[in-house]
Amino acid sequence: MLQISENAQGPLIIGHYGGSNTGDEAMLAGLLKSIGPEACRHATVVIKKGSLEKTCPDLSVPTVPATLSSVLGALRRSSCLVLGGGTHFHDDYTTSR
């Protein structure tokens, strides 16, 4: 069972972000705007690869890579999970098919 930290931070936002897809990054920008500045300061975004700085230079939120250990660690520290835009389940994280 996943244990949530007593010092939980803000939301963990999972989507298909960081892949230089303008639509996905636009959905993230809208989501962050809708949750408000206080939640944004404490939010963490899971990114596919790279960083959000290339496609979303105005978004200054902490990010974690989309690895199992990183996501689980961020989830333990988060106050809630938000499934944002983009594809959530796919097989392009691997080089072998």
Short mmCIF file of all heavy atoms in Angstrom, two decimals, residues 1 3 14 17 26 30-31 56 60 62 67 69 76 84 86 93-94:
data_model
loop_
_atom_site.label_atom_id
_atom_site.label_comp_id
_atom_site.label_asym_id
_atom_site.label_seq_id
_atom_site.Cartn_x
_atom_site.Cartn_y
_atom_site.Cartn_z
N MET A 1 0.85 -1.19 0.00
CA MET A 1 0.00 0.00 0.00
C MET A 1 0.89 1.24 0.00
O MET A 1 1.87 1.31 0.71
CB MET A 1 -0.91 -0.02 1.21
CG MET A 1 -1.84 1.12 1.30
SD MET A 1 -3.00 0.88 2.65
CE MET A 1 -4.28 1.90 2.07
N GLN A 3 2.12 4.72 0.97
CA GLN A 3 2.03 5.59 2.13
C GLN A 3 2.20 7.04 1.70
O GLN A 3 3.16 7.39 1.03
CB GLN A 3 3.14 5.25 3.15
CG GLN A 3 3.02 3.86 3.72
CD GLN A 3 1.82 3.75 4.64
OE1 GLN A 3 1.48 4.67 5.36
NE2 GLN A 3 1.17 2.60 4.62
N ILE A 14 0.22 13.96 -14.09
CA ILE A 14 0.75 13.01 -15.07
C ILE A 14 0.04 13.22 -16.40
O ILE A 14 -1.18 13.31 -16.47
CB ILE A 14 0.53 11.56 -14.59
CG1 ILE A 14 1.32 11.30 -13.32
CG2 ILE A 14 0.91 10.56 -15.69
CD1 ILE A 14 1.14 9.91 -12.75
N TYR A 17 3.71 14.88 -21.24
CA TYR A 17 4.36 16.18 -21.33
C TYR A 17 5.85 16.03 -21.58
O TYR A 17 6.46 15.03 -21.25
CB TYR A 17 4.14 16.97 -20.03
CG TYR A 17 2.70 17.04 -19.62
CD1 TYR A 17 2.27 16.58 -18.39
CD2 TYR A 17 1.75 17.56 -20.49
CE1 TYR A 17 0.95 16.64 -18.02
CE2 TYR A 17 0.41 17.62 -20.13
CZ TYR A 17 0.02 17.16 -18.89
OH TYR A 17 -1.30 17.21 -18.53
N ALA A 26 0.01 22.77 -24.15
CA ALA A 26 -1.07 23.75 -23.97
C ALA A 26 -2.08 23.26 -22.93
O ALA A 26 -2.58 24.05 -22.12
CB ALA A 26 -1.77 24.02 -25.31
N GLY A 30 -2.99 25.15 -19.39
CA GLY A 30 -4.36 25.43 -18.96
C GLY A 30 -4.68 24.79 -17.62
O GLY A 30 -5.35 25.39 -16.77
N LEU A 31 -4.21 23.56 -17.43
CA LEU A 31 -4.44 22.86 -16.16
C LEU A 31 -3.78 23.60 -15.01
O LEU A 31 -4.40 23.83 -13.96
CB LEU A 31 -3.91 21.43 -16.25
CG LEU A 31 -3.94 20.60 -14.98
CD1 LEU A 31 -5.38 20.38 -14.53
CD2 LEU A 31 -3.26 19.27 -15.20
N CYS A 56 7.56 25.09 -22.95
CA CYS A 56 6.78 25.88 -21.99
C CYS A 56 7.70 26.71 -21.10
O CYS A 56 7.78 26.47 -19.89
CB CYS A 56 5.93 24.98 -21.11
SG CYS A 56 4.74 24.00 -21.97
N SER A 60 7.11 27.34 -14.57
CA SER A 60 8.20 26.99 -13.68
C SER A 60 7.65 26.09 -12.58
O SER A 60 7.28 26.55 -11.51
CB SER A 60 8.87 28.24 -13.10
OG SER A 60 7.96 28.96 -12.31
N PRO A 62 8.27 22.11 -10.70
CA PRO A 62 9.20 20.98 -10.61
C PRO A 62 8.73 19.83 -11.49
O PRO A 62 7.53 19.62 -11.68
CB PRO A 62 9.14 20.59 -9.13
CG PRO A 62 8.53 21.73 -8.41
CD PRO A 62 7.66 22.43 -9.41
N THR A 67 9.88 7.62 -14.87
CA THR A 67 10.36 6.29 -14.48
C THR A 67 9.54 5.83 -13.28
O THR A 67 9.04 6.66 -12.52
CB THR A 67 11.86 6.31 -14.11
OG1 THR A 67 12.03 7.15 -12.95
CG2 THR A 67 12.71 6.83 -15.26
N SER A 69 10.33 4.49 -10.40
CA SER A 69 10.80 4.92 -9.08
C SER A 69 10.59 6.41 -8.87
O SER A 69 10.20 6.84 -7.78
CB SER A 69 12.28 4.55 -8.89
OG SER A 69 13.08 5.19 -9.86
N ARG A 76 4.28 9.58 -3.46
CA ARG A 76 4.31 9.51 -1.99
C ARG A 76 4.33 10.90 -1.37
O ARG A 76 3.81 11.10 -0.28
CB ARG A 76 5.54 8.73 -1.53
CG ARG A 76 5.42 7.27 -1.68
CD ARG A 76 6.61 6.54 -1.02
NE ARG A 76 6.62 5.18 -1.45
CZ ARG A 76 7.35 4.69 -2.44
NH1 ARG A 76 8.18 5.47 -3.09
NH2 ARG A 76 7.29 3.43 -2.77
N GLY A 84 -3.65 14.51 -16.28
CA GLY A 84 -3.83 15.61 -17.21
C GLY A 84 -3.94 15.12 -18.64
O GLY A 84 -4.20 13.94 -18.90
N GLY A 86 -2.94 14.36 -22.73
CA GLY A 86 -1.94 13.54 -23.38
C GLY A 86 -2.24 12.06 -23.17
O GLY A 86 -3.15 11.69 -22.44
N TYR A 93 8.08 4.12 -24.37
CA TYR A 93 9.17 4.34 -23.45
C TYR A 93 10.27 3.28 -23.62
O TYR A 93 11.28 3.33 -22.96
CB TYR A 93 8.68 4.31 -21.99
CG TYR A 93 7.88 5.52 -21.62
CD1 TYR A 93 6.55 5.41 -21.27
CD2 TYR A 93 8.45 6.78 -21.64
CE1 TYR A 93 5.82 6.53 -20.93
CE2 TYR A 93 7.73 7.90 -21.32
CZ TYR A 93 6.40 7.76 -20.96
OH TYR A 93 5.69 8.87 -20.62
N THR A 94 10.05 2.35 -24.47
CA THR A 94 11.03 1.30 -24.66
C THR A 94 11.55 1.33 -26.10
O THR A 94 10.85 1.77 -27.01
CB THR A 94 10.43 -0.09 -24.35
OG1 THR A 94 11.43 -1.07 -24.55
CG2 THR A 94 9.24 -0.39 -25.23
#
